[in-house]
Amino acid sequence: MDYTVRVHTSIDDVDERWDDLMAAARAPAFYRRAFLRAFEKHPLHPVLRTAYLLAEDGSGRAHAALPAYLQRDVDPMRVIAEHYPHAAGRTALLSHAWHCYDTVLPVRPGPRSRSAAECAVTALRDLASEWGAGLCGIVNADAAGPLDAQLTGAGFTGVDIDVGWGLPLDRYAGFDDYLTRALSGKARQNLRRDLRAAEKAGVGACTVDVGEADLDGFVRLARATAAKFGNADYYRPGLFQDFVRELGDCVRAVELRVDGRMIASALILTDDTRLHYWAVGYAQKDTPGFSPFYVSYAHVMREAWASGRDWVELGRRNPSFKRRYALQPRVLRAYFAEQ
């Protein structure tokens, strides 16, 4: 089967075929229209040009797709700096945005899915050449997934850049079962102790839609948390709030308060099969006797089972905590081709 790849520069230029393909491919929340539109309107990092590549058959049905962003000097995770330092200052055409830790190549299931994916990858390199990009690639992809063979076969070089973490929810009956069967005695006791101490301190938890969330409070807490790693501008004031509001009903906030003061806020995204614990900020001080981070984690995990999804995704970083709480690691890889 022959495919034609069409390049669109706005997600709203692509009709419902995009949504149909994402549903068929069970693509993560980062590929759904709400997230892509939000990133167009309020780009969380600078973008020079945006493209949506859509591989279609002769009838116009979409079989593979990729969002891609032309950028320069955007490297919040220091991936290019550490692995391709000679490419610093050159433009790069990359998929997906850096705020996505779950990069895939959405393809329609079927016997010709591989050829559709290969067509999309070829089109990505062709577009990089057309736009004069010095570097072309896909970042934050599962190293054990199908993209590894497809991209290395197409001449991309893979480098391990991070670790992503998640948990199959259907393995446990719920949060309490997870505590009992998955955790060591010490980890389980510590989390339960924090929950009791938070309850004694009068901490209240609520899960709210984006229209009710205190996003200014979230950004304040998240920037303070990220500042420990020198990355506070991952949450740029004003821009980040506007982006999250644009996400609409695919995002919710889990907020913790004591005496009216917010001490932790976590943002969760949902798609057809997963709940994503996407971002969190929490107070560094003034919470004696318990950790607002651990208490927030417990409430998000309860939300995960309540959502009815199969999997909870917990993104990158903080490996010691995630190992201790029995989360499953997967190597994240970046695949680059120099033009």
Side-chain angles (χ1 to χ4, degrees):
M1 181 183 293
D2 294 327
Y3 297 101
T4 299
V5 176
R6 302 190 189 280
V7 178
H8 304 269
T9 57
S10 171
I11 190 59
D12 287 332
D13 290 340
V14 190
D15 58 24
E16 65 277 0
R17 290 175 303 155
W18 183 279
D19 309 300
D20 174 67
L21 175 59
M22 296 307 125
R26 304 183 80 179
F30 307 104
Y31 291 79
R32 303 308 173 102
R33 188 177 295 269
F35 189 94
L36 297 171
R37 182 186 287 123
F39 195 83
E40 271 188 39
K41 290 186 175 182
H42 311 288
L44 297 177
H45 60 68
V47 170
L48 302 174
R49 300 179 74 172
T50 298
Y52 303 94
L53 291 77
L54 204 64
E56 308 169 1
D57 64 19
S59 69
R61 193 182 196 202
H63 287 261
L66 273 177
Y69 303 94
L70 185 69
Q71 51 203 272
R72 179 185 284 113
D73 295 328
V74 179
D75 192 17
M77 311 310 240
R78 293 193 54 77
V79 171
I80 297 173
E82 293 180 8
H83 297 282
Y84 278 79
H86 56 282
R90 299 164 65 188
T91 56
L93 183 66
L94 302 178
S95 182
H96 197 317
W98 287 105
H99 286 68
C100 167
Y101 49 71
D102 193 12
T103 297
V104 299
L105 199 170
V107 294
R108 188 175 299 280
R112 299 302 301 270
S113 61
R114 183 178 178 85
S115 61
E118 290 171 348
C119 184
V121 169
T122 298
L124 182 68
R125 288 198 72 164
D126 290 345
L127 184 63
S129 295
E130 180 184 333
W131 284 1
L135 201 62
C136 172
I138 289 178
V139 297
N140 291 311
D142 186 346
L147 269 175
D148 186 71
Q150 293 166 2
L151 292 170
T152 54
F156 288 75
T157 300
V159 291
D160 296 346
I161 60 172
D162 217 321
V163 176
W165 302 84
L167 187 75
L169 296 170
D170 54 3
R171 186 172 296 178
Y172 307 98
F175 178 72
D176 291 331
D177 186 43
Y178 155 71
L179 290 186
T180 301
R181 295 202 294 120
L183 305 190
S184 69
K186 184 177 181 181
R188 180 170 58 252
Q189 291 163 12
N190 287 344
L191 187 54
R192 285 176 170 164
R193 184 183 63 240
D194 272 7
L195 288 169
R196 288 194 300 269
E199 182 179 8
K200 184 177 180 180
V203 174
C206 63
T207 302
V208 296
D209 295 332
V210 67
E212 303 172 58
D214 179 2
L215 296 179
D216 291 341
F218 168 84
V219 168
R220 183 182 67 254
L221 292 170
R223 285 180 60 83
T225 302
K228 295 189 300 180
F229 309 100
N231 201 20
D233 278 345
Y234 199 74
Y235 306 98
R236 293 167 59 191
L239 175 67
F240 195 86
Q241 293 96 311
D242 290 342
F243 175 89
V244 174
R245 291 186 188 99
E246 194 71 33
L247 293 175
D249 60 8
C250 77
V251 62
R252 305 186 80 197
V254 178
E255 299 178 341
L256 303 184
R257 286 186 171 80
V258 60
D259 297 329
R261 178 172 59 94
M262 192 161 74
I263 59 171
S265 178
L267 299 181
I268 55 177
L269 306 176
T270 54
D271 53 48
D272 296 340
T273 60
R274 280 154 289 198
L275 182 141
H276 298 260
Y277 186 177
W278 184 45
V280 65
Y282 52 94
Q284 305 291 324
K285 300 177 181 178
D286 303 325
T287 53
F290 67 93
S291 163
F293 171 75
Y294 280 71
V295 175
S296 180
Y297 171 76
H299 285 285
V300 169
M301 294 299 279
R302 285 173 172 149
E303 286 291 327
W305 270 284
S307 74
R309 266 63 178 184
D310 300 330
W311 181 271
V312 58
E313 182 67 46
L314 292 102
R316 303 160 287 202
R317 306 296 166 93
N318 203 357
S320 59
F321 166 81
K322 291 173 180 176
R323 288 193 193 96
R324 191 161 58 249
Y325 282 86
L327 303 179
Q328 296 185 0
R330 71 181 190 283
V331 174
L332 298 179
R333 191 166 287 170
Y335 298 87
F336 293 118
E338 295 190 75
Q339 299 299 105

